[in-house]
Amino acid sequence: MSKVIIIGGGAAGMMAGVFAARNHHEVHILEKNEKLGKKVFITGKGRCNVTNACDTEELFPAMMSNPKFLYSSFYSFTPQDVMEFFEKAGVPLKVERGNRVFPQSDHSSDIIRALERELKKAGAKIHLHTAVQEIVKKPVTDSANTLESEATLTESGSDAGKGRKGKKSPDIPQEKITGVILTDGTFMEGDAVIVATGGFSYQSTGSTGDGYRFARELGLKVTDIAPSLVPLKTKEDYIPKLQGLSLKNTGLTIKNGKKVLYEDFGEMMFTHFGVTGPMILSASAHIGAKLAKAPNGELSAYLDLKPALTKEQLDARILREFEAGPNKQFKNVIGVLFPSSLTPVMIELGGIPAEKKIHDISREERQHFIDLIKAFPFTITGMGEFKEAIITRGGVSVKEINPGTMESKKISGLYFAGEVLDLDAVTGGYNLQIAWSTAYLAAQAIQ
């Protein structure tokens, strides 16, 4: 039995705590907030998109960073395993569009309460209002390290008989964890530490980048971080006029010049500064780095407002409306095609005067208007900030971590799980699956 200290009581921290405690370790979860799961509480608009009910191999295309690193994690604790865990913990689940899994109650608090119950049942100890200042390590004793190194050399057959006894192998950790120092100066001894501090997004929930600092102080590499799954800022003055308008079943294309960077279909919403919604958030994960490198820092985007219709079918639909009211003004006929707040903007951009009689509209004018419907334009000028980001792109480099155990390659007994790592995905329950799977693997690896 080991004494396991888990820093952070979010999704990864709680799940790691459950399985470490079930394995009969002495588990202490240190959470600096007044309660566990503050970020879990607000995920999925408060409903908690627990996972995605896809086959395990279908998880990898949804990963934006280091998908191969997650092979052992995902196959050790699959989406089906996650669903079974919560069903057994007393949370009935449902699967919605896109295989998104939610509690039947639509309350994220049910997920948190289930994890708390399982932690208590397994005997884990929870310390609220408890912040960590430093993770403490010490060198591995020379004798133990020498014996391990000699064993490695003997097994490999390299340097046999060359008088190199005691040479340290770079593949064997030279240091090990001894515990943590809390912000009040207290030293808490531990055999293993799991860093599950989250990223740098939604900082009000406690994700303030502590894990990155711990990693750097311990000599581990941390990649550059950036907000991901964020709203997008736009250039045009007609976008704020559409603030609050949500569109479903809409096509999206983002281009850099003539090169298509991203295409998707789904839901989006206009805001006072740009666009947001599931389709837009996923797009942000794909285009973040490309936007920074684009000419003038801008990308062109287009919405297909009627993706179910070809241009020919749309033309036929519009002609039917025109034939039903040939003496009506354009503004009084075209409104049936769009939500009321969108119609004035479409007229503004469409090039046909609002008062023009239907029978005076030329075929060329009609075709130009159809082109607008199939490619409603706007310019992306920026990404939302960390305070708006659902997740963080970047983090503790996975090159520092053993993918089969989540343990540091350099420091024995040091584990990482969840968003603190350089791992992220698109929307749809995939990011929580990363948290659950990496936490499970870390907990199971501790001896």
Side-chain angles (χ1 to χ4, degrees):
M1 184 180 83
S2 297
K3 182 176 180 180
V4 180
I5 298 171
I6 300 173
I7 308 176
M14 288 188 285
M15 188 64 82
V18 170
F19 283 101
R22 286 182 181 179
N23 289 341
H24 309 294
H25 296 301
E26 179 187 336
V27 175
H28 296 264
I29 297 179
L30 311 184
E31 170 54 57
K32 64 183 181 182
N33 286 316
E34 74 285 358
K35 59 184 177 181
L36 298 178
K38 285 191 78 171
K39 188 176 178 185
V40 175
F41 184 73
I42 62 174
T43 59
K45 296 181 180 177
R47 298 172 63 213
C48 190
N49 186 181
V50 180
T51 185
N52 192 284
C54 62
D55 292 335
T56 303
E57 60 266 23
E58 294 174 17
L59 292 171
F60 298 99
M63 299 300 114
M64 296 306 304
S65 306
N66 303 305
K68 291 180 181 178
F69 176 84
L70 286 160
Y71 189 90
S72 293
S73 296
F74 283 160
Y75 278 100
S76 295
F77 199 54
T78 67
Q80 288 66 39
D81 291 331
V82 171
M83 294 173 70
E84 183 181 353
F85 172 88
F86 283 108
E87 293 272 6
K88 285 184 175 179
V91 184
L93 302 173
K94 60 181 177 179
V95 180
E96 298 187 356
R97 182 185 55 79
N99 283 328
R100 296 167 190 243
V101 180
F102 294 90
Q104 284 186 13
S105 65
D106 284 329
H107 293 143
S108 57
S109 55
D110 287 353
I111 297 297
I112 300 167
R113 280 197 290 266
L115 287 163
E116 288 176 331
R117 284 195 302 270
E118 294 305 309
L119 285 167
K120 185 176 181 180
K121 192 187 303 181
K125 297 178 176 62
I126 297 167
H127 306 259
L128 302 176
H129 300 289
T130 305
V132 173
Q133 180 62 38
E134 181 184 350
I135 297 174
V136 183
K137 62 181 180 177
K138 72 175 184 179
V140 175
T141 57
D142 286 341
S143 58
N145 199 37
T146 300
L147 286 170
E148 285 190 81
S149 299
E150 288 177 357
T152 302
L153 289 171
T154 301
E155 287 169 11
S156 66
S158 61
D159 298 306
K162 292 186 180 180
R164 294 183 60 184
K165 286 186 177 181
K167 181 176 177 63
K168 294 180 179 179
S169 167
D171 297 325
I172 297 173
Q174 307 301 314
E175 297 174 302
K176 67 178 182 180
I177 288 300
T178 60
V180 300
I181 297 175
L182 306 181
T183 50
D184 66 3
T186 304
F187 174 70
M188 179 181 284
E189 187 177 4
D191 302 301
V193 170
I194 301 177
V195 180
T197 51
F200 201 59
S201 55
Y202 285 137
Q203 294 171 33
S204 60
T205 66
S207 299
T208 52
D210 294 346
Y212 308 140
R213 176 174 62 82
F214 296 147
R216 290 191 184 99
E217 289 174 351
L218 293 167
L220 277 61
K221 181 183 177 184
V222 178
T223 65
D224 292 339
I225 62 170
S228 191
L229 301 184
V230 286
L232 298 174
K233 299 176 182 178
T234 57
K235 184 178 186 178
E236 289 75 13
D237 58 6
Y238 54 80
I239 296 296
K241 296 177 183 177
L242 300 171
Q243 178 180 352
L245 172 64
S246 294
L247 298 177
K248 295 182 178 180
N249 305 321
T250 304
L252 171 67
T253 301
I254 299 176
K255 295 182 177 181
N256 186 356
K258 293 182 179 180
K259 183 180 180 181
V260 175
L261 301 179
Y262 183 75
E263 290 182 300
D264 201 0
F265 173 85
E267 300 176 31
M268 57 83 62
M269 185 176 77
F270 295 97
T271 70
H272 66 285
F273 59 82
V275 287
T276 189
M279 179 172 66
I280 301 298
L281 298 179
S282 288
S284 75
H286 286 268
I287 68 164
K290 294 166 185 172
L291 178 62
K293 297 175 183 177
N296 303 317
E298 296 181 349
L299 296 173
S300 301
Y302 304 89
L303 293 175
D304 185 345
L305 301 175
K306 301 290 179 182
L309 302 177
T310 64
K311 285 188 176 183
E312 292 73 22
Q313 290 170 328
L314 184 55
D315 190 25
R317 166 77 195 281
I318 291 174
L319 278 173
R320 286 199 301 272
E321 298 296 336
F322 280 11
E323 289 166 0
N327 294 314
K328 291 183 178 180
Q329 293 181 335
F330 178 62
K331 66 180 180 181
N332 295 327
V333 172
I334 210 65
V336 296
L337 293 173
F338 312 108
S340 58
S341 59
L342 181 56
T343 301
V345 173
M346 294 300 293
I347 292 173
E348 176 188 338
L349 300 179
I352 302 174
E355 289 78 22
K356 192 168 188 175
K357 295 291 182 67
I358 292 299
H359 61 72
D360 290 331
I361 295 175
S362 68
R363 182 178 182 279
E364 289 72 21
E365 287 177 314
R366 194 176 73 248
Q367 291 302 318
H368 176 74
F369 194 72
I370 289 169
D371 290 341
L372 174 65
I373 296 172
K374 297 295 286 183
F376 179 85
F378 59 94
T379 306
I380 300 169
T381 58
M383 310 270 287
E385 300 171 0
F386 274 112
K387 64 182 179 181
E388 304 162 295
I390 293 176
I391 58 159
T392 304
R393 185 173 76 243
V396 176
S397 173
V398 296
K399 294 178 181 178
E400 303 276 8
I401 308 300
N402 183 330
T405 62
M406 294 296 121
E407 187 176 20
S408 165
K409 294 177 180 178
K410 297 177 180 176
I411 304 170
S412 176
L414 176 64
Y415 299 80
F416 290 85
E419 194 181 340
V420 69
L421 289 161
D422 182 13
L423 301 167
D424 65 287
V426 297
T427 59
Y430 302 106
N431 287 287
L432 270 179
Q433 183 65 46
I434 292 173
W436 309 134
S437 293
T438 54
Y440 173 87
L441 203 59
Q444 298 291 56
I446 296 171
Q447 300 299 310

